[in-house]
Amino acid sequence: MRAALAAFDTRPEEAIMIGDGKNDILVARAAGIAACGVGWGIGEASETRDLGPDLFVERVDGLVDALT
């Protein structure tokens, strides 16, 4: 994640990780960026939510509204 931030010349406070699993949330935390968990995809929604992401979106159609 830090390499991706550097490649795009982006500071951690300017980024957000959107992910469907615990590893996505953990990577975001380790990189110092905000985390948005989602309730669809491969990961278990309850496990992702329990990690306390900065945002949690249940359905894909709510993602844009949550991020604006």
Side-chain angles (χ1 to χ4, degrees):
M1 183 53 64
R2 289 186 185 121
L5 291 170
F8 288 97
D9 193 29
T10 302
R11 297 186 320 263
E13 58 272 13
E14 297 173 315
I16 187 166
M17 168 73 111
I18 300 170
D20 66 352
K22 72 176 190 175
N23 288 334
D24 300 317
I25 306 306
L26 296 175
V27 166
R29 297 282 183 247
I33 66 174
C36 176
V38 297
W40 67 91
I42 296 172
E44 288 292 324
S46 61
E47 185 177 63
T48 304
R49 188 184 305 107
D50 289 348
L51 286 171
D54 301 291
L55 295 168
F56 188 85
V57 180
E58 288 288 341
R59 297 169 34 107
V60 69
D61 59 1
L63 188 58
V64 171
D65 287 339
L67 296 176
T68 55

